[in-house]
Amino acid sequence: WSYVGKNILAPMVRAGTLPFRVLAREYGADIVYCEEIIDHSILASRRVENKEHDTIDYLPVNNHKNQIGKKRKRKPKESNIKAKFRTYKGEPVVFQLGTNDSVRALKAAQVVANDVKAIDVNMGCPKHFSVHSGMGAGLLSAPETVKDILSTLVRNLNIPVTCKIRLKDDEKDTMALLKLIENCGVKAVGIHARCVYDRPKHRALVEKIKPLVSGLNIPVIYNGDVFTYEDFERMRKETSCEGVMAARGAMWNCSIFRKEGFLPVYDVMKRYLTIA
């Protein structure tokens, strides 16, 4: 399992579900990330092998209850229950975990560890839901928590552990955090080339990445403003990152991963619906 030279589908909430990941793989993505899933959510699930679709589904444990907690007369068919996470045997998927606690993070990671290739801790989501709970970008200002979570996962899991961060305002602070992350024993680190307060309309701070990469001894995965197949190699050269992620570029047209170039969006949409 390596991130070197890989073109990667980035984690995206409400986008990185199984059909989209399968589509990305068909078009050439080497590695795919699932959407962020909160530790509490995966802990409240049960593993089911779906014979109908040949998938592995993590279904909510309380699906037999309605919204006000009363038991239904009949349990819904499992095929009609929305899975919290779905994969298939052999999928090169990285499970992105939302967490702010090392004990809970480990328990959640252990639930899915046999069905995924790696665990990635989300340390870059700038949304209020994550930050106010001390998850996502909220971890950027909690180095001891970061150390506790990553060290615990690395020490107890038999699959690679990584994390994905955003830039801090000061380059020295970002470098200090990256060194702390590296010393936890992770296999790689992803860097979104934006600060917490930056939004997609702000350009990615590509020029800030290469100095950070030069100070690390683990693979770095670049994320930010990858909109064409050519951008994968361009960002590799400009940043010295070993892997490159596409997020919005893939969401707009998933055939971004094709060496031969883009397919018409309508054709991509039809193929997505067929897979789904």
Side-chain angles (χ1 to χ4, degrees):
W1 182 258
S2 172
Y3 297 90
V4 178
K6 298 300 194 298
N7 296 341
I8 302 168
L9 176 67
M12 290 179 283
V13 173
R14 293 185 295 277
T17 52
L18 183 58
F20 193 65
R21 302 196 309 266
V22 170
L23 187 66
R25 286 284 293 154
E26 281 192 6
Y27 290 142
D30 300 302
I31 297 171
V32 291
Y33 281 56
C34 73
E35 60 182 331
E36 177 197 26
I37 299 177
I38 306 303
D39 50 15
H40 287 292
S41 180
I42 204 66
L43 285 171
S45 67
R46 56 194 175 90
R47 183 184 186 276
V48 175
E49 293 193 11
N50 187 324
K51 304 298 183 182
E52 181 179 356
H53 300 296
D54 197 24
T55 59
I56 299 166
D57 300 348
Y58 285 83
L59 305 178
V61 295
N62 60 341
N63 58 73
H64 63 287
K65 294 182 180 180
N66 63 19
Q67 290 182 346
I68 59 174
K70 295 181 179 179
K71 288 187 177 181
R72 294 174 175 169
K73 293 181 179 179
R74 295 180 182 177
K75 293 182 180 181
K77 291 183 179 180
E78 289 187 341
S79 59
N80 295 329
I81 301 170
K82 182 179 179 181
K84 295 184 176 184
F85 172 62
R86 173 172 285 159
T87 184
Y88 60 87
K89 290 182 179 179
E91 183 188 18
V93 63
V94 177
F95 185 91
Q96 192 181 60
L97 180 65
T99 187
N100 60 8
D101 179 81
S102 62
V103 174
R104 199 166 56 246
L106 178 59
K107 289 180 180 178
Q110 288 173 328
V111 170
V112 299
N114 291 329
D115 294 320
V116 301
K117 297 298 184 182
I119 298 292
D120 182 80
V121 179
N122 184 342
M123 298 186 181
C125 179
K127 299 297 184 181
H128 176 73
F129 168 77
S130 288
V131 176
H132 95 282
S133 300
M135 299 185 296
L139 288 168
L140 298 178
S141 56
E144 289 305 312
T145 304
V146 169
K147 182 179 179 180
D148 191 22
I149 292 172
L150 294 179
S151 297
T152 299
L153 293 176
V154 169
R155 189 168 57 248
N156 292 281
L157 296 178
N158 294 320
I159 58 175
V161 175
T162 65
C163 66
K164 184 168 178 280
I165 72 167
R166 282 188 175 228
L167 297 171
K168 302 192 74 172
D169 291 340
D170 186 274
E171 183 177 316
K172 291 182 180 179
D173 291 340
T174 305
M175 192 72 245
L177 178 63
L178 287 168
K179 293 302 292 184
L180 179 147
I181 290 169
E182 180 181 57
N183 290 335
C184 291
V186 298
K187 295 298 183 183
V189 60
I191 304 178
H192 187 160
R194 289 183 172 88
C195 296
V196 176
Y197 47 78
D198 288 329
R199 291 298 175 261
K201 66 181 180 181
H202 301 119
R203 74 170 186 87
L205 303 172
V206 182
E207 69 280 359
K208 293 186 177 292
I209 304 301
K210 192 169 186 175
L212 299 172
V213 175
S214 65
L216 297 173
N217 296 307
I218 56 173
V220 178
I221 305 165
Y222 173 82
N223 178 212
D225 289 357
V226 175
F227 299 125
T228 67
Y229 182 82
E230 291 71 26
D231 284 342
F232 285 109
E233 190 58 33
R234 180 173 66 85
M235 292 304 186
R236 244 186 293 274
K237 290 179 179 178
E238 290 187 18
T239 67
S240 296
C241 287
E242 284 82 355
V244 177
M245 285 179 168
R248 287 179 299 152
M251 192 161 55
W252 293 340
N253 189 328
C254 196
S255 64
I256 188 175
F257 294 102
R258 280 170 38 96
K259 293 180 180 179
E260 302 83 0
F262 285 115
L263 292 173
V265 172
Y266 183 70
D267 292 344
V268 175
M269 291 169 60
K270 286 197 299 182
R271 181 58 187 151
Y272 173 80
L273 291 174
T274 299
I275 295 170

